[in-house]
mmCIF file of all heavy atoms in Angstrom:
data_model
loop_
_atom_site.group_PDB
_atom_site.id
_atom_site.type_symbol
_atom_site.label_atom_id
_atom_site.label_comp_id
_atom_site.label_asym_id
_atom_site.label_seq_id
_atom_site.Cartn_x
_atom_site.Cartn_y
_atom_site.Cartn_z
ATOM 1 N N ARG A 1 0.852 -1.188 -0.003
ATOM 2 C CA ARG A 1 -0.039 -0.031 0.005
ATOM 3 C C ARG A 1 0.826 1.253 -0.013
ATOM 4 O O ARG A 1 0.655 2.131 -0.792
ATOM 5 C CB ARG A 1 -0.939 -0.033 1.245
ATOM 6 C CG ARG A 1 -1.703 1.351 1.420
ATOM 7 C CD ARG A 1 -2.595 1.194 2.612
ATOM 8 N NE ARG A 1 -3.230 2.432 2.887
ATOM 9 C CZ ARG A 1 -2.759 3.404 3.618
ATOM 10 N NH1 ARG A 1 -1.574 3.268 4.260
ATOM 11 N NH2 ARG A 1 -3.428 4.496 3.831
ATOM 12 N N HIS A 2 1.903 1.285 0.841
ATOM 13 C CA HIS A 2 2.670 2.484 0.972
ATOM 14 C C HIS A 2 3.633 2.642 -0.213
ATOM 15 O O HIS A 2 3.932 3.739 -0.609
ATOM 16 C CB HIS A 2 3.435 2.461 2.268
ATOM 17 C CG HIS A 2 2.558 2.669 3.468
ATOM 18 N ND1 HIS A 2 1.945 3.839 3.791
ATOM 19 C CD2 HIS A 2 2.145 1.753 4.406
ATOM 20 C CE1 HIS A 2 1.309 3.724 4.902
ATOM 21 N NE2 HIS A 2 1.320 2.439 5.229
ATOM 22 N N ARG A 3 4.016 1.570 -0.806
ATOM 23 C CA ARG A 3 4.784 1.622 -2.052
ATOM 24 C C ARG A 3 4.015 2.225 -3.111
ATOM 25 O O ARG A 3 4.525 3.116 -3.890
ATOM 26 C CB ARG A 3 5.332 0.214 -2.383
ATOM 27 C CG ARG A 3 6.212 0.257 -3.598
ATOM 28 C CD ARG A 3 6.972 -1.115 -3.854
ATOM 29 N NE ARG A 3 6.081 -2.195 -4.060
ATOM 30 C CZ ARG A 3 5.903 -3.182 -3.118
ATOM 31 N NH1 ARG A 3 6.634 -3.141 -2.046
ATOM 32 N NH2 ARG A 3 5.046 -4.145 -3.309
ATOM 33 N N ASN A 4 2.784 1.826 -3.257
ATOM 34 C CA ASN A 4 1.871 2.378 -4.272
ATOM 35 C C ASN A 4 1.593 3.911 -4.010
ATOM 36 O O ASN A 4 1.508 4.707 -4.876
ATOM 37 C CB ASN A 4 0.556 1.649 -4.282
ATOM 38 C CG ASN A 4 0.749 0.204 -4.803
ATOM 39 O OD1 ASN A 4 1.709 -0.080 -5.547
ATOM 40 N ND2 ASN A 4 -0.165 -0.674 -4.445
ATOM 41 N N GLU A 5 1.454 4.224 -2.721
ATOM 42 C CA GLU A 5 1.123 5.636 -2.322
ATOM 43 C C GLU A 5 2.386 6.487 -2.676
ATOM 44 O O GLU A 5 2.247 7.554 -3.179
ATOM 45 C CB GLU A 5 0.852 5.704 -0.809
ATOM 46 C CG GLU A 5 -0.554 5.224 -0.514
ATOM 47 C CD GLU A 5 -0.894 5.455 0.952
ATOM 48 O OE1 GLU A 5 0.036 5.864 1.705
ATOM 49 O OE2 GLU A 5 -2.037 5.208 1.333
ATOM 50 N N ARG A 6 3.589 5.975 -2.346
ATOM 51 C CA ARG A 6 4.816 6.694 -2.693
ATOM 52 C C ARG A 6 4.944 6.982 -4.200
ATOM 53 O O ARG A 6 5.373 8.014 -4.628
ATOM 54 C CB ARG A 6 6.011 6.071 -2.122
ATOM 55 C CG ARG A 6 6.080 6.009 -0.614
ATOM 56 C CD ARG A 6 7.383 5.516 -0.098
ATOM 57 N NE ARG A 6 7.407 5.323 1.304
ATOM 58 C CZ ARG A 6 7.237 4.171 1.921
ATOM 59 N NH1 ARG A 6 7.040 3.105 1.250
ATOM 60 N NH2 ARG A 6 7.240 4.087 3.291
ATOM 61 N N ALA A 7 4.644 5.943 -4.973
ATOM 62 C CA ALA A 7 4.717 6.074 -6.410
ATOM 63 C C ALA A 7 3.698 7.094 -6.924
ATOM 64 O O ALA A 7 4.034 7.879 -7.806
ATOM 65 C CB ALA A 7 4.481 4.688 -7.123
ATOM 66 N N TRP A 8 2.514 7.041 -6.326
ATOM 67 C CA TRP A 8 1.488 8.078 -6.745
ATOM 68 C C TRP A 8 1.962 9.422 -6.434
ATOM 69 O O TRP A 8 1.803 10.321 -7.202
ATOM 70 C CB TRP A 8 0.192 7.669 -6.120
ATOM 71 C CG TRP A 8 -0.900 8.667 -6.445
ATOM 72 C CD1 TRP A 8 -1.695 8.679 -7.523
ATOM 73 C CD2 TRP A 8 -1.396 9.761 -5.657
ATOM 74 N NE1 TRP A 8 -2.552 9.651 -7.539
ATOM 75 C CE2 TRP A 8 -2.392 10.341 -6.352
ATOM 76 C CE3 TRP A 8 -0.995 10.273 -4.423
ATOM 77 C CZ2 TRP A 8 -3.079 11.465 -5.903
ATOM 78 C CZ3 TRP A 8 -1.628 11.342 -3.943
ATOM 79 C CH2 TRP A 8 -2.715 12.005 -4.665
ATOM 80 N N MET A 9 2.463 9.663 -5.212
ATOM 81 C CA MET A 9 2.869 10.940 -4.809
ATOM 82 C C MET A 9 4.063 11.470 -5.676
ATOM 83 O O MET A 9 4.130 12.600 -6.058
ATOM 84 C CB MET A 9 3.400 10.935 -3.333
ATOM 85 C CG MET A 9 2.252 10.790 -2.329
ATOM 86 S SD MET A 9 1.065 12.153 -2.466
ATOM 87 C CE MET A 9 2.087 13.523 -1.902
ATOM 88 N N GLN A 10 4.958 10.510 -6.057
ATOM 89 C CA GLN A 10 6.131 10.903 -6.901
ATOM 90 C C GLN A 10 5.623 11.362 -8.322
ATOM 91 O O GLN A 10 6.092 12.370 -8.862
ATOM 92 C CB GLN A 10 7.077 9.718 -7.075
ATOM 93 C CG GLN A 10 8.323 10.011 -7.861
ATOM 94 C CD GLN A 10 9.280 8.905 -7.908
ATOM 95 O OE1 GLN A 10 9.024 7.809 -7.386
ATOM 96 N NE2 GLN A 10 10.432 9.114 -8.517
ATOM 97 N N ASP A 11 4.671 10.584 -8.874
ATOM 98 C CA ASP A 11 4.093 11.004 -10.070
ATOM 99 C C ASP A 11 3.428 12.289 -10.073
ATOM 100 O O ASP A 11 3.458 13.168 -10.972
ATOM 101 C CB ASP A 11 3.035 9.962 -10.613
ATOM 102 C CG ASP A 11 3.740 8.664 -10.933
ATOM 103 O OD1 ASP A 11 4.947 8.614 -11.167
ATOM 104 O OD2 ASP A 11 3.041 7.576 -10.984
ATOM 105 N N LYS A 12 2.690 12.601 -8.913
ATOM 106 C CA LYS A 12 1.981 13.875 -8.760
ATOM 107 C C LYS A 12 3.024 14.999 -8.636
ATOM 108 O O LYS A 12 2.831 16.068 -9.246
ATOM 109 C CB LYS A 12 1.181 13.799 -7.484
ATOM 110 C CG LYS A 12 0.286 15.069 -7.306
ATOM 111 C CD LYS A 12 -0.605 14.920 -6.084
ATOM 112 C CE LYS A 12 -1.456 16.102 -5.870
ATOM 113 N NZ LYS A 12 -2.293 16.030 -4.673
ATOM 114 N N GLU A 13 4.162 14.798 -7.945
ATOM 115 C CA GLU A 13 5.136 15.833 -7.765
ATOM 116 C C GLU A 13 5.773 16.140 -9.181
ATOM 117 O O GLU A 13 5.959 17.318 -9.526
ATOM 118 C CB GLU A 13 6.243 15.416 -6.790
ATOM 119 C CG GLU A 13 5.760 15.402 -5.386
ATOM 120 C CD GLU A 13 6.799 14.840 -4.366
ATOM 121 O OE1 GLU A 13 7.949 14.538 -4.922
ATOM 122 O OE2 GLU A 13 6.542 14.872 -3.220
ATOM 123 N N GLU A 14 6.028 15.072 -10.011
ATOM 124 C CA GLU A 14 6.571 15.268 -11.255
ATOM 125 C C GLU A 14 5.698 16.056 -12.160
ATOM 126 O O GLU A 14 5.995 16.951 -12.947
ATOM 127 C CB GLU A 14 6.911 13.963 -11.910
ATOM 128 C CG GLU A 14 8.110 13.191 -11.323
ATOM 129 C CD GLU A 14 8.374 11.871 -11.875
ATOM 130 O OE1 GLU A 14 7.567 11.460 -12.768
ATOM 131 O OE2 GLU A 14 9.308 11.220 -11.490
ATOM 132 N N GLU A 15 4.329 15.718 -12.035
ATOM 133 C CA GLU A 15 3.317 16.491 -12.833
ATOM 134 C C GLU A 15 3.223 17.962 -12.419
ATOM 135 O O GLU A 15 3.129 18.832 -13.300
ATOM 136 C CB GLU A 15 2.046 15.798 -12.630
ATOM 137 C CG GLU A 15 0.879 16.432 -13.527
ATOM 138 C CD GLU A 15 -0.398 15.645 -13.419
ATOM 139 O OE1 GLU A 15 -0.496 14.651 -12.731
ATOM 140 O OE2 GLU A 15 -1.462 16.193 -13.906
ATOM 141 N N GLU A 16 3.391 18.197 -11.130
ATOM 142 C CA GLU A 16 3.351 19.547 -10.617
ATOM 143 C C GLU A 16 4.666 20.394 -11.055
ATOM 144 O O GLU A 16 4.571 21.517 -11.348
ATOM 145 C CB GLU A 16 3.234 19.658 -9.142
ATOM 146 C CG GLU A 16 1.903 19.154 -8.634
ATOM 147 C CD GLU A 16 1.815 19.088 -7.146
ATOM 148 O OE1 GLU A 16 2.860 19.304 -6.459
ATOM 149 O OE2 GLU A 16 0.745 18.888 -6.577
ATOM 150 N N ASN A 17 5.762 19.634 -11.107
ATOM 151 C CA ASN A 17 6.979 20.317 -11.473
ATOM 152 C C ASN A 17 7.124 20.568 -12.949
ATOM 153 O O ASN A 17 7.956 21.332 -13.454
ATOM 154 C CB ASN A 17 8.172 19.495 -11.015
ATOM 155 C CG ASN A 17 8.314 19.499 -9.441
ATOM 156 O OD1 ASN A 17 7.746 20.444 -8.810
ATOM 157 N ND2 ASN A 17 8.819 18.508 -8.886
ATOM 158 N N ARG A 18 6.373 19.753 -13.763
ATOM 159 C CA ARG A 18 6.554 19.867 -15.241
ATOM 160 C C ARG A 18 6.328 21.249 -15.773
ATOM 161 O O ARG A 18 7.142 21.774 -16.581
ATOM 162 C CB ARG A 18 5.662 18.835 -15.909
ATOM 163 C CG ARG A 18 5.933 18.650 -17.307
ATOM 164 C CD ARG A 18 5.153 17.429 -17.989
ATOM 165 N NE ARG A 18 5.520 16.239 -17.339
ATOM 166 C CZ ARG A 18 4.710 15.480 -16.622
ATOM 167 N NH1 ARG A 18 3.460 15.940 -16.392
ATOM 168 N NH2 ARG A 18 5.017 14.375 -16.069
ATOM 169 N N PRO A 19 5.260 21.980 -15.373
ATOM 170 C CA PRO A 19 5.124 23.333 -15.906
ATOM 171 C C PRO A 19 6.217 24.253 -15.425
ATOM 172 O O PRO A 19 6.650 25.109 -16.171
ATOM 173 C CB PRO A 19 3.739 23.788 -15.289
ATOM 174 C CG PRO A 19 3.024 22.526 -14.939
ATOM 175 C CD PRO A 19 4.075 21.562 -14.652
ATOM 176 N N GLN A 20 6.702 24.034 -14.264
ATOM 177 C CA GLN A 20 7.849 24.857 -13.777
ATOM 178 C C GLN A 20 9.045 24.622 -14.607
ATOM 179 O O GLN A 20 9.811 25.520 -14.960
ATOM 180 C CB GLN A 20 8.138 24.499 -12.353
ATOM 181 C CG GLN A 20 9.198 25.382 -11.720
ATOM 182 C CD GLN A 20 9.439 25.081 -10.257
ATOM 183 O OE1 GLN A 20 8.758 24.190 -9.658
ATOM 184 N NE2 GLN A 20 10.414 25.764 -9.643
ATOM 185 N N ASN A 21 9.333 23.340 -14.987
ATOM 186 C CA ASN A 21 10.489 23.040 -15.803
ATOM 187 C C ASN A 21 10.291 23.652 -17.154
ATOM 188 O O ASN A 21 11.246 24.126 -17.785
ATOM 189 C CB ASN A 21 10.622 21.493 -15.957
ATOM 190 C CG ASN A 21 10.980 20.892 -14.650
ATOM 191 O OD1 ASN A 21 11.588 21.470 -13.773
ATOM 192 N ND2 ASN A 21 10.767 19.594 -14.479
ATOM 193 N N THR A 22 9.106 23.686 -17.758
ATOM 194 C CA THR A 22 8.860 24.304 -19.020
ATOM 195 C C THR A 22 9.087 25.758 -18.918
ATOM 196 O O THR A 22 9.653 26.405 -19.830
ATOM 197 C CB THR A 22 7.429 23.958 -19.456
ATOM 198 O OG1 THR A 22 7.197 22.633 -19.498
ATOM 199 C CG2 THR A 22 7.121 24.600 -20.825
ATOM 200 N N TYR A 23 8.624 26.353 -17.812
ATOM 201 C CA TYR A 23 8.825 27.816 -17.655
ATOM 202 C C TYR A 23 10.357 28.063 -17.537
ATOM 203 O O TYR A 23 10.847 29.098 -18.085
ATOM 204 C CB TYR A 23 8.099 28.236 -16.397
ATOM 205 C CG TYR A 23 8.283 29.728 -16.090
ATOM 206 C CD1 TYR A 23 7.606 30.672 -16.808
ATOM 207 C CD2 TYR A 23 9.113 30.181 -15.030
ATOM 208 C CE1 TYR A 23 7.734 32.081 -16.512
ATOM 209 C CE2 TYR A 23 9.265 31.478 -14.727
ATOM 210 C CZ TYR A 23 8.574 32.448 -15.493
ATOM 211 O OH TYR A 23 8.786 33.797 -15.232
ATOM 212 N N SER A 24 11.090 27.263 -16.804
ATOM 213 C CA SER A 24 12.544 27.544 -16.657
ATOM 214 C C SER A 24 13.213 27.425 -18.056
ATOM 215 O O SER A 24 14.101 28.246 -18.358
ATOM 216 C CB SER A 24 13.102 26.477 -15.697
ATOM 217 O OG SER A 24 12.550 26.607 -14.481
ATOM 218 N N ALA A 25 12.830 26.447 -18.846
ATOM 219 C CA ALA A 25 13.396 26.319 -20.157
ATOM 220 C C ALA A 25 13.088 27.573 -21.007
ATOM 221 O O ALA A 25 13.923 28.010 -21.759
ATOM 222 C CB ALA A 25 12.867 25.051 -20.810
ATOM 223 N N PHE A 26 11.878 28.029 -20.882
ATOM 224 C CA PHE A 26 11.454 29.207 -21.593
ATOM 225 C C PHE A 26 12.311 30.482 -21.240
ATOM 226 O O PHE A 26 12.764 31.304 -22.103
ATOM 227 C CB PHE A 26 9.979 29.577 -21.419
ATOM 228 C CG PHE A 26 9.580 30.893 -22.052
ATOM 229 C CD1 PHE A 26 9.366 30.975 -23.408
ATOM 230 C CD2 PHE A 26 9.427 32.016 -21.243
ATOM 231 C CE1 PHE A 26 8.933 32.151 -23.932
ATOM 232 C CE2 PHE A 26 8.980 33.196 -21.811
ATOM 233 C CZ PHE A 26 8.718 33.357 -23.151
ATOM 234 N N ILE A 27 12.596 30.535 -19.958
ATOM 235 C CA ILE A 27 13.420 31.721 -19.422
ATOM 236 C C ILE A 27 14.861 31.621 -19.991
ATOM 237 O O ILE A 27 15.430 32.634 -20.308
ATOM 238 C CB ILE A 27 13.442 31.712 -17.838
ATOM 239 C CG1 ILE A 27 12.070 32.012 -17.339
ATOM 240 C CG2 ILE A 27 14.426 32.679 -17.362
ATOM 241 C CD1 ILE A 27 11.561 33.373 -17.693
ATOM 242 N N GLN A 28 15.301 30.387 -20.027
ATOM 243 C CA GLN A 28 16.705 30.203 -20.541
ATOM 244 C C GLN A 28 16.826 30.545 -22.033
ATOM 245 O O GLN A 28 17.806 31.064 -22.497
ATOM 246 C CB GLN A 28 17.187 28.804 -20.296
ATOM 247 C CG GLN A 28 17.372 28.460 -18.854
ATOM 248 C CD GLN A 28 17.715 26.945 -18.647
ATOM 249 O OE1 GLN A 28 17.802 26.217 -19.575
ATOM 250 N NE2 GLN A 28 17.993 26.587 -17.381
ATOM 251 N N LEU A 29 15.674 30.264 -22.782
ATOM 252 C CA LEU A 29 15.730 30.549 -24.251
ATOM 253 C C LEU A 29 15.373 31.986 -24.550
ATOM 254 O O LEU A 29 15.522 32.439 -25.670
ATOM 255 C CB LEU A 29 14.771 29.536 -24.943
ATOM 256 C CG LEU A 29 15.248 28.111 -25.009
ATOM 257 C CD1 LEU A 29 14.126 27.298 -25.591
ATOM 258 C CD2 LEU A 29 16.533 27.931 -25.720
ATOM 259 N N LEU A 30 14.815 32.705 -23.575
ATOM 260 C CA LEU A 30 14.308 34.043 -23.782
ATOM 261 C C LEU A 30 15.356 34.971 -24.403
ATOM 262 O O LEU A 30 15.059 35.717 -25.451
ATOM 263 C CB LEU A 30 13.844 34.678 -22.566
ATOM 264 C CG LEU A 30 13.077 36.040 -22.619
ATOM 265 C CD1 LEU A 30 11.877 35.874 -23.575
ATOM 266 C CD2 LEU A 30 12.676 36.440 -21.220
ATOM 267 N N PRO A 31 16.635 35.018 -24.012
ATOM 268 C CA PRO A 31 17.611 35.920 -24.620
ATOM 269 C C PRO A 31 17.744 35.583 -26.154
ATOM 270 O O PRO A 31 17.929 36.528 -26.931
ATOM 271 C CB PRO A 31 18.918 35.666 -23.838
ATOM 272 C CG PRO A 31 18.391 35.161 -22.559
ATOM 273 C CD PRO A 31 17.245 34.375 -22.851
#
């Protein structure tokens, strides 16, 4: 149960961080 919960939380964190990573890439390419 807890292994599945940790995997779910990790996927959720990656999904939340994905827009931030896209934004960071955009900032780097802005110049």
Side-chain angles (χ1 to χ4, degrees):
R1 173 178 175 270
H2 291 288
R3 183 167 59 247
N4 294 335
E5 286 182 354
R6 292 190 188 98
W8 179 81
M9 289 298 296
Q10 184 177 2
D11 293 341
K12 185 176 181 181
E13 290 177 0
E14 291 178 356
E15 184 177 355
E16 292 176 351
N17 292 334
R18 193 171 296 115
Q20 183 177 358
N21 294 336
T22 304
Y23 179 75
S24 300
F26 174 76
I27 293 298
Q28 293 177 356
L29 292 175
L30 186 59

